[in-house]
Amino acid sequence: MTIIIAANSVPKPPAELIEGFRNAPTSIISDNLSRLPGAVGLKPYHRSGKLVGAAFTVRTRPGDNLAIHRALELVGPSDVIVVDGGGDETRALVGEIMKNIAQWRKAEGYVIDGAIRDVAAFAGDDFPCFARAVIHRGPYKNGPGEINVPVTVGGSVISPGDIVVGDEDGVVSFPAAGAAALLEAVRVQIKREDETLKAIREGRYQGAYGKS
């Protein structure tokens, strides 16, 4: 079946803007997005490491990874491979070989609304992978699918080129437009929370955190 490629690549935010979110916790990013965006039900399967990059989106038929294979021919540095697999947990869409291909292509990692397999290979590596489940059963490779179109992952709509950030708490994404202002707000909150933690340690805390 046909794989529709809306674009071989998409405009990305400036590298320094993307990298600015490297030390930004997803929880604080979420706080400054009215606590609304963010994928639900995904968890990290890699050993450690922050996921930061621009969304390279894929929509697959549940249990079929032909479109992901096609996407792996196109991805490159700063790309996060974001896969809308319909939340299906009955067949793995990505395994060790596809992890290694993505690394070889210098992609930043995977975000998959679906299952993976070869979980030990992910658990022993710092290449980020967020997914819904693990299962040994392999995928079909028949299509159809779409590449670089808006997708839904864990209830969150992600468009090609959106900034994607993932850490131990999960995955959040947001458009590049407004990202500079968001980053400044995140930095302000990080500083405020650091000051609160210091006040707690020093016995000066007055309960202000519950009012923020």
Side-chain angles (χ1 to χ4, degrees):
M1 292 185 179
T2 303
I3 303 299
I4 297 172
I5 302 175
N8 287 338
S9 62
V10 295
K12 296 185 179 73
E16 61 271 19
L17 179 58
I18 296 176
E19 193 60 26
F21 288 92
R22 179 70 57 183
N23 296 318
T26 57
S27 57
I28 294 182
I29 296 172
S30 176
D31 284 352
N32 286 278
L33 291 170
S34 301
R35 303 180 177 180
L36 293 174
V40 176
L42 275 59
K43 61 183 179 179
Y45 284 94
H46 53 290
R47 179 173 55 199
S48 65
K50 189 74 168 282
L51 174 65
V52 182
F56 191 102
T57 63
V58 184
R59 179 182 291 123
T60 71
R61 179 170 69 93
D64 189 294
N65 73 355
L66 181 63
I68 307 174
H69 280 285
R70 184 69 183 92
L72 286 173
E73 299 172 5
L74 303 172
V75 299
S78 82
D79 286 331
V80 175
I81 306 164
V82 177
V83 181
D84 178 354
D88 179 72
E89 300 181 8
T90 64
R91 295 188 180 276
L93 296 177
V94 167
E96 182 177 9
I97 290 177
M98 295 177 76
K99 176 184 81 72
N100 280 274
I101 294 172
Q103 288 178 284
W104 176 67
R105 297 285 298 183
K106 302 189 185 302
E108 298 297 325
Y110 281 107
V111 174
I112 304 172
D113 197 352
I116 63 169
R117 66 179 181 180
D118 304 327
V119 68
F122 288 96
D125 199 341
D126 295 332
F127 185 71
C129 178
F130 294 80
R132 186 167 292 279
V134 173
I135 191 168
H136 57 84
R137 296 173 66 191
Y140 299 109
K141 301 178 185 296
N142 302 319
E146 297 173 280
I147 293 173
N148 278 329
V149 298
V151 298
T152 302
V153 173
S156 180
V157 176
I158 303 178
S159 295
D162 282 358
I163 297 177
V164 181
V165 182
D167 61 17
E168 297 85 350
D169 286 337
V171 177
V172 67
S173 62
F174 45 89
L182 171 62
L183 180 58
E184 181 58 30
V186 165
R187 286 171 171 166
V188 169
Q189 183 170 337
I190 290 172
K191 182 178 179 180
R192 184 171 67 248
E193 292 195 1
D194 285 346
E195 291 171 350
T196 298
L197 290 169
K198 182 179 179 182
I200 294 170
R201 289 193 299 269
E202 295 177 352
R204 298 183 289 103
Y205 177 64
Q206 299 294 322
Y209 179 70
K211 301 173 185 177
S212 62

